[in-house]
Amino acid sequence: MTHQSDSPQPNQSSKKRPRANRLLDSGRPIGFFSSLKFELSVLIVISTAIAFVMAWFLLKVGLTGWVAMPITLAVALGITYFFSRGLTTPLRQMRDAAEAMAEGDYTVRVQTGTDSNDEIGMLARSFNEMAEELQHADQMRNDLIANVSHELRTPVSALQAMLENLADGVVEPTPANMESILNQTHRLSDLIAFLLDLSRMEAGAASLQIERFNFADFIDETIEPLEIADSGHAHTIDMHVPDDLTMEGDQDRLRQLFTNVIGNALKHSPDDTAVLIETHENKTNDTIVTNVVNFGSQIPVEARSDIFRRFVKGKTGPGTESGGTGLGLSIARWAAQLHGGTVRVVDDPRGADFEITLPKHHIQADVAKSARSGDA
């Protein structure tokens, strides 16, 4: 299985403006130091010293003070202007870039000053990082519209065609036809559930119903509907979960987590292959670690973080299913984080290995947030 994401396409603004990345990339005469105040102090000292030497030289050659003074001031202003370009050029580019982003063009970047060590350089780099995040967020918004439109249109069109055939008497209301209609309604229901979860993720709101439960029984109940839905692909789910392992958490949210991860492994597994579920307790960290292994496939290291982003779909291959919303793994990560846990892809020579780490005992939301920040 190889996961990949489409590279963001630049958004075209209705009003054509000069891009910041097309501006002249003039060098910064200053920017070698880590403090802007120190650079300004050096600039003032240099300008003053040059002005003093020039004034002394002009007076030495016999010019009067009324002639030497304007020449000295002009030279000092020219030197100051030359060196001050390093301060104003990045700021002008940031202004132009901000105006372009206000009109919808998030491809603009600041080119000058990004390599300097002072506050201007740090600001330029931070601005570019912000622009990249805004471009990604805008791309995600466009993907949301495109994905939801596509995912809704398919089952709705199928339902409409089936119901029209039933109403016209073209087909009979046989159990098989009714099952097809039911499957399409289930697909619609799943999509709506995904979108509701997405809205909860965006709002950062989710209530947890914490209870203590047997983990092995929980996994059994989780994979049962997955095995039914997977019928026809001849997948085998091998479980190695201790029978006496218990934990605290919200079973509904955790079921979302494990359903999406295990379902993803089944979806991207060729027919007649196995998916392994291994669970062990880490008593040192008081956590429960579960590995879901999809044999025979690998996920490139550079793609392992992208697959947890919204609307990123795995590349399908022989024996795999197509489709999906690209939200499953993103929701899985959200459900894990709600419990103070993590889900990630780890190195495993056997295949794609999703490792889910959850605290055995429930921790408060602020503690969980601190733990996630520490992991980051």
Side-chain angles (χ1 to χ4, degrees), residues 213-255:
F213 57 91
N214 181 276
F215 191 78
D217 294 339
F218 166 79
I219 293 295
D220 283 333
E221 295 172 359
T222 300
I223 67 173
E224 182 178 354
L226 292 174
E227 290 177 322
I228 297 175
D230 187 65
S231 60
H233 294 282
H235 289 134
T236 302
I237 300 179
D238 296 331
M239 287 180 49
H240 299 281
V241 181
D243 294 332
D244 58 347
L245 188 60
T246 61
M247 72 169 294
E248 296 176 354
D250 187 323
Q251 291 196 60
D252 291 336
R253 294 295 173 208
L254 292 176
R255 186 162 285 109

Side-chain angles (χ1 to χ4, degrees), residues 294-364:
N294 169 16
F295 291 103
S297 62
Q298 292 288 350
I299 301 176
V301 176
E302 63 274 10
R304 292 180 181 178
S305 59
D306 290 337
I307 62 175
F308 291 99
R309 301 173 76 170
R310 293 192 294 271
F311 305 115
V312 174
K313 300 182 181 181
K315 182 179 179 181
T316 58
T320 65
E321 293 181 355
S322 60
T325 61
L327 291 172
L329 292 180
S330 178
I331 291 174
R333 181 178 61 177
W334 168 66
Q337 291 177 345
L338 286 177
H339 289 80
T342 60
V343 55
R344 61 193 181 111
V345 179
V346 297
D347 292 329
D348 192 329
R350 298 173 297 181
D353 187 344
F354 285 79
E355 184 175 270
I356 304 169
T357 303
L358 296 168
K360 185 176 181 180
H361 301 94
H362 177 63
I363 56 179
Q364 298 299 324

Side-chain angles (χ1 to χ4, degrees), residues 43 47 50-51 70-84:
L43 176 60
S47 300
I50 293 176
I71 297 176
T72 301
L73 290 176
V75 172
L77 288 174
I79 294 172
T80 304
Y81 176 80
F82 174 77
F83 281 95
S84 65

Side-chain angles (χ1 to χ4, degrees), residues 12-27:
Q12 299 297 330
S13 174
S14 58
K15 298 180 180 179
K16 299 296 183 181
R17 294 185 52 83
R19 288 184 178 180
N21 53 12
R22 293 180 181 173
L23 297 178
L24 178 63
D25 188 6
S26 56

